[in-house]
Amino acid sequence: MRRPVRVTIRWLLCALSLILIGVPASAQTPPLAATVAQIGQAEHDLGAVDRALDTRVDDEKRKDLRTSAMKSQQSARDAAGALEDQLTLVQARLTELGGAPSGGGEAPELHNQRASLTRQQRTIDVAMRRAKLADVEAQQLLDEIDRSQAEQFGQTLATRVDSPLTPSFWANVIAAVPRDVRRTSLFLSQGGTQIRAQWRGGWPWQAFVGLALAITILFPLRRATRRAGQSYLIEDAPGHRLRRSANALWRVATGTLSPLLAAVAVVQGMRWAGLLPSRWSSLLDALVVAGGYAGFSAAVTGAVLMRSQSSWRIAPIDDETARRLRPLSLLLAGLAGVSIVVDAFNTAIGASGAAIVLTEAVSAMLHLLLVGALLLSLGRLRGQRLDQEDANSLSVSATLGAAMLILWVAVAGALIALVLGYVGFSVFVGRFLGWTAVLGCALYLMTKAVDDFSTTVFVRSSRVGLTFTRAFGVRGSVVEQFGILLSGFLRLALVVVALGLLLSPFGTGGGIGTLFGRLGTLTQGLEIGGVAISPGVILRGVVVLFVGLALVRGLMGWLENRYLPATDLDGSSRNSVSLVIRYLGVALAVLWALSSLGIGVERIALLLSALSVGIGFGLQAITQNFVSGLILLAERPIKIGDLVRVGTDEGDVKRISVRSTAIELGDHSTLIVPNSELITKSVLNKTLTGPLGRVQIQFSVPLGTDVDAVERIVLEAYTEEKAILSAPPPSIFIDSIVDGRIVFNSFAHVSGPRASYGARSNVFKAVLRRLREESIDIGTVAQRLELLTSPSEPKAEQQE
């Protein structure tokens, strides 16, 4: 029903526009008529695409239809934009004319002009509706093409044939051998006939020139360009890291272009010489593609491994690993090129289904065996070096072990599928793993290259950094921050492009949205409260959640290790920014996962409102600590590294989270304090207003002591102590005179409260030693002891 309705609406709008244009045709401007014709052409092309989709189309035809639909959609959008501008002009002119007078008496020229502008406005409005309808129709056709492509890909993976281990499989292959042999012989004989005919007509010098040019490009020219690029990088490129990255990319460029241009030279020389028939054209094109892809695979894996030039190696791998993996990477590149040529050959000769299934099974088996050999080599190398790894590399080894386990599961599943007869699935898994390895190596090289470029060029000591700092007054830290931000943005863009290219060689389109969108087509499931609950939806939500958390983790690692250290913020400010961004990122990842499940923001708000009662009663303490943690991060009354006293406990603040704060005490134990305690109760922060610590010494001397000598001795003791600061200077005062003694009170400052105790002890020792040498008594205020007796005690003494 959808297609007839669209056609009906379109024809109605066309008729209405023709009616409105027909009368004032002489008054219309050429741009409007051309725009309407452009919309009509777009509608005609979309109708052709719509009719073509009613029949069965192959991959090439589907690509052409998609291209045509996209061109029509863009044409309709351009026409809508042009019409919108024209409509604005017409409305402005109508506004200038104003409304018609109610009593009549208007000049005929103004009346006719207003009527003409009104008709133009209606015409433009109808044309804009047609353009928007064409845009919507084109988008629907594009979605239909994508769905059909995905369905065909799914059918290919789910198609089951006879198992290669069964006699029926080989019986079909043997039965198809005579026909395949005849088709191959006919294909080859046509090529041989064409070669002999052209050879009799003259010497095919074009083919020999192409062959000689291919040999020159493939061997001496490639080596010369590689050496020339490396020499230039050694002499002129800034920074060791940037030289290594540029050298790796140069090796990839030369290693890819050399076989590609060599294949083009050979094929084009044979075509110019007319040696091969037109039926061989698709096979020749496949040879060019195979040469380019094989060269790219070999070059990108070789640039990562750098077996012969370890000093130029970017990846953190040793020489033994590079030596063992390099032959496997070359075999992978050669197998990929051969697979492309074999598939094109089967298509060119019209091979039977049994022959195609056999070649696909052999290709799948070889790919899976090669991936298995690669995993075995990595496993042996990992086992040999596991005992020598430190604590930091153990986590990397654990991550590598998990990835290898997943790959082993994929290889085992593909082998089982091949045995069961799911040849298409096993071929996809084998080639997908090979393409993933090549794409992963290319992504690694590109991310390293953009990071090295950004962090080498945009530093305060580089030419660019000096230009910005001197010419524009930009701080050096801002230049470095821009370099780090540019690196992060470019690497994120490369990751997105790589995800889009992950499935593109297999005829399934590309893009992250397509990748996650296909996960929802696994099963329909149940619908509860407007939310679809099914294994596919749950799997999609879990995948989205893990991807979101992985992105948050990567962002936090880059923020804490790269960006924040380049800023002028202190450690506490970095911790506050890091915590806020971490919790915000986790919240966004959770919201993204919930939205992928079909749970909108309004449902989340309803759920939170329902839980508010429980939060108010059961989770009151947790909520109070959470809010207090946000207040601590915002107001920062205490920071990481501060020396604080909470009650009777004193220690250094080591960590501040949204729930609690960790304080390390003097005995190296950790005191976990809820954040609400730090907000609602008194806390002594000894380093809040300043980092200085104070030393105070009080003592008394007899009344007849020389006070100038005492003052000199104390000040010299302060001066000799290295921990005592000269600014502010030490000071000594006479506090009071009590019971025949002079009480002194002295002060000095140290770099921090933690250094005051030891400095005070050292000054005490120096003062005591110097006062003893000067024979000056030191002590506290003397106390008088009186013994009181009762009145009866003297009488008893007299009686004795």
Side-chain angles (χ1 to χ4, degrees):
M1 293 297 294
R2 175 178 58 84
R3 194 167 296 164
V5 171
R6 289 205 312 265
V7 174
T8 304
I9 296 175
R10 188 177 63 198
W11 281 110
L12 288 176
L13 291 175
C14 288
L16 183 59
S17 62
L18 289 176
I19 292 174
L20 293 174
I21 295 176
V23 177
S26 59
Q28 297 297 325
T29 58
L32 179 57
T35 305
V36 173
Q38 180 180 353
I39 297 174
Q41 183 63 38
E43 292 173 343
H44 179 271
D45 296 339
L46 291 175
V49 174
D50 198 355
R51 291 188 297 270
L53 290 177
D54 292 335
T55 61
R56 185 178 180 83
V57 295
D58 55 5
D59 292 338
E60 295 296 330
K61 184 64 174 178
R62 186 181 293 107
K63 292 179 181 179
D64 296 339
L65 293 177
R66 182 181 177 84
T67 302
S68 177
M70 292 181 65
K71 289 181 178 179
S72 301
Q73 185 182 36
Q74 186 62 40
S75 178
R77 290 178 177 177
D78 295 341
L83 290 173
E84 186 175 359
D85 296 337
Q86 296 182 22
L87 182 61
T88 303
L89 294 176
V90 171
Q91 291 176 348
R93 294 176 63 184
L94 285 173
T95 303
E96 292 178 358
L97 290 176
S102 58
E106 186 180 20
E109 293 82 3
L110 295 178
H111 177 76
N112 294 334
Q113 187 176 6
R114 182 181 294 105
S116 176
L117 291 175
T118 303
R119 287 192 296 269
Q120 290 183 23
Q121 183 180 11
R122 294 174 182 174
T123 303
I124 295 173
D125 184 65
V126 173
M128 287 183 63
R129 294 181 183 179
R130 289 176 56 192
K132 292 179 180 179
L133 180 62
D135 187 6
V136 174
E137 183 179 358
Q139 187 60 46
Q140 292 176 350
L141 291 176
L142 290 173
D143 295 339
E144 185 177 350
I145 292 173
D146 292 338
R147 285 195 301 270
S148 63
Q149 191 174 6
E151 290 173 358
Q152 183 178 356
F153 176 71
Q155 291 176 0
T156 303
L157 296 183
T159 301
R160 186 175 183 272
V161 298
D162 294 332
S163 174
L165 301 181
T166 59
S168 58
F169 176 85
W170 296 103
N172 295 331
V173 172
I174 294 173
V177 166
R179 180 173 298 176
D180 290 328
V181 170
R182 289 194 300 271
R183 292 175 177 176
T184 304
S185 301
L186 178 62
F187 184 78
L188 296 178
S189 63
Q190 291 177 351
T193 302
Q194 183 76 12
I195 293 174
R196 288 192 295 270
Q198 293 295 328
W199 197 277
R200 294 191 191 99
W203 186 62
W205 59 271
Q206 299 93 336
F208 288 99
V209 170
L211 180 61
L213 183 60
I215 295 174
T216 303
I217 293 174
L218 198 57
F219 296 104
L221 184 60
R222 182 180 64 173
R223 295 175 181 174
T225 53
R226 182 176 295 179
R227 287 195 299 266
Q230 192 171 10
S231 301
Y232 171 78
L233 293 174
I234 293 174
E235 296 175 358
D236 298 331
H240 178 64
R241 293 172 51 197
L242 188 58
R243 282 197 297 268
R244 291 192 309 173
S245 300
N247 178 67
L249 295 181
W250 181 249
R251 287 176 63 93
V252 173
T254 55
T256 303
L257 293 177
S258 296
L260 178 62
L261 295 178
V264 170
V266 172
V267 170
Q268 199 62 36
M270 297 178 70
R271 283 177 172 171
W272 284 342
L275 292 179
L276 298 177
S278 58
R279 188 181 177 186
W280 283 53
S281 179
S282 60
L283 182 60
L284 296 177
D285 294 337
L287 286 173
V288 175
V289 174
Y293 181 74
F296 173 73
S297 302
V300 74
T301 53
V304 172
L305 296 175
M306 284 289 182
R307 180 180 58 177
S308 59
Q309 294 180 331
S310 59
S311 60
W312 291 86
R313 186 180 300 144
I314 301 176
I317 56 179
D318 52 24
D319 295 340
E320 180 65 18
T321 303
R323 184 184 64 82
R324 291 191 182 184
L325 296 183
R326 183 53 179 163
L328 297 177
S329 66
L330 293 176
L331 289 176
L332 178 64
L335 180 59
V338 172
S339 299
I340 294 174
V341 175
V342 170
D343 292 342
F345 181 77
N346 288 335
T347 303
I349 68 173
S352 62
I356 293 175
V357 171
L358 177 61
T359 54
E360 288 182 348
V362 173
S363 175
M365 178 62 68
L366 292 177
H367 276 90
L368 295 175
L369 291 177
L370 187 58
V371 174
L374 175 64
L375 294 176
L376 283 176
S377 300
L378 290 177
R380 291 175 181 176
L381 293 171
R382 178 172 172 266
Q384 293 175 1
R385 292 166 176 81
L386 189 60
D387 297 335
Q388 303 176 357
E389 292 179 343
D390 54 8
N392 293 329
S393 58
L394 285 178
S395 60
V396 178
S397 180
T399 304
L400 180 61
M404 291 176 61
L405 178 60
I406 295 174
L407 292 176
W408 273 118
V409 171
V411 171
L415 288 175
I416 294 174
L418 181 61
V419 172
L420 294 178
Y422 293 97
V423 178
F425 177 78
S426 60
V427 169
F428 167 74
V429 172
R431 295 181 179 180
F432 176 76
L433 293 177
W435 167 242
T436 303
V438 174
L439 185 62
C441 292
L443 178 62
Y444 179 80
L445 291 178
M446 291 299 297
T447 53
K448 285 291 185 181
V450 298
D451 181 62
D452 293 341
F453 171 79
S454 302
T455 56
T456 301
V457 174
F458 295 97
V459 292
R460 64 183 71 192
S461 59
S462 65
R463 295 181 179 178
V464 176
L466 293 176
T467 301
F468 276 99
T469 54
R470 295 175 181 177
F472 304 102
V474 180
R475 291 184 301 171
S477 60
V478 175
V479 176
E480 294 181 353
Q481 293 174 39
F482 174 77
I484 297 174
L485 288 173
L486 179 63
S487 171
F489 173 77
L490 293 178
R491 287 190 291 174
L492 180 61
L494 289 174
V495 171
V496 172
V497 172
L499 289 176
L501 295 175
L502 193 60
L503 293 175
S504 58
F506 305 98
T508 61
I512 301 177
T514 305
L515 179 62
F516 288 115
R518 294 195 185 99
L519 297 176
T521 61
L522 296 176
T523 55
Q524 296 297 327
L526 302 176
E527 186 172 348
I528 302 175
V531 179
I533 303 298
S534 64
V537 172
I538 295 175
L539 179 61
R540 180 176 59 188
V542 172
V543 170
V544 170
L545 179 61
F546 274 100
V547 170
L549 294 178
L551 292 177
V552 172
R553 184 177 181 181
L555 174 63
M556 295 309 303
W558 170 80
L559 190 68
E560 294 175 351
N561 299 327
R562 300 294 305 276
Y563 179 70
L564 289 179
T567 62
D568 298 330
L569 301 176
D570 55 9
S572 179
S573 301
R574 297 177 194 173
N575 179 72
S576 301
V577 173
S578 177
L579 284 176
V580 172
I581 294 180
R582 177 182 288 110
Y583 285 104
L584 182 61
V586 171
L588 292 178
V590 173
L591 291 177
W592 186 22
L594 292 177
S595 63
S596 68
L597 294 175
I599 303 176
V601 179
E602 66 280 356
R603 290 190 175 94
I604 299 175
L606 181 61
L607 178 62
L608 292 178
S609 63
L611 293 177
S612 60
V613 178
I615 293 175
F617 289 97
L619 303 179
Q620 183 177 4
I622 297 177
T623 306
Q624 185 180 7
N625 289 326
F626 180 80
V627 175
S628 300
L630 296 180
I631 294 175
L632 288 177
L633 294 176
E635 295 185 356
R636 300 175 64 199
I638 62 172
K639 304 181 296 296
I640 294 179
D642 285 351
L643 181 62
V644 298
R645 178 180 295 173
V646 180
T648 59
D649 297 313
E650 181 176 301
D652 299 323
V653 178
K654 292 298 182 181
R655 180 179 57 85
I656 301 176
S657 64
V658 294
R659 191 194 65 84
S660 62
T661 299
I663 300 175
E664 184 178 357
L665 303 181
D667 57 355
H668 301 290
S669 61
T670 302
L671 177 65
I672 306 298
V673 182
N675 289 331
S676 59
E677 297 288 330
L678 301 177
I679 295 296
T680 59
K681 295 184 179 180
S682 300
V683 178
L684 176 62
N685 191 340
K686 295 187 175 182
T687 57
L688 177 61
T689 57
L692 299 181
R694 193 181 72 167
V695 175
Q696 180 181 9
I697 295 179
Q698 292 177 304
F699 61 93
S700 64
V701 296
L703 186 59
T705 307
D706 187 359
V707 294
D708 295 331
V710 173
E711 182 178 355
R712 176 178 51 80
I713 291 172
V714 175
L715 292 178
E716 289 178 355
Y718 279 133
T719 305
E720 293 173 357
E721 174 58 32
K722 297 180 180 180
I724 300 298
L725 300 178
S726 58
S731 59
I732 183 171
F733 304 95
I734 297 178
D735 190 68
S736 62
I737 299 175
V738 180
D739 294 332
R741 301 189 69 88
I742 304 174
V743 180
F744 287 90
N745 195 359
S746 61
F747 303 94
H749 292 84
V750 291
S751 59
R754 302 168 187 83
S756 61
Y757 197 77
R760 184 170 178 266
S761 176
N762 294 334
V763 173
F764 256 131
K765 291 188 291 185
V767 169
L768 291 174
R769 184 177 63 254
R770 294 289 302 276
L771 291 177
R772 186 174 59 251
E773 294 175 356
E774 298 288 341
S775 301
I776 299 175
D777 183 26
I778 183 174
T780 59
V781 179
Q783 303 293 329
R784 183 173 59 187
L785 179 62
E786 296 182 359
L787 298 177
L788 300 179
T789 59
S790 62
S792 61
E793 289 182 357
K795 295 181 179 180
E797 293 177 358
Q798 291 177 2
Q799 292 177 359
E800 288 184 5

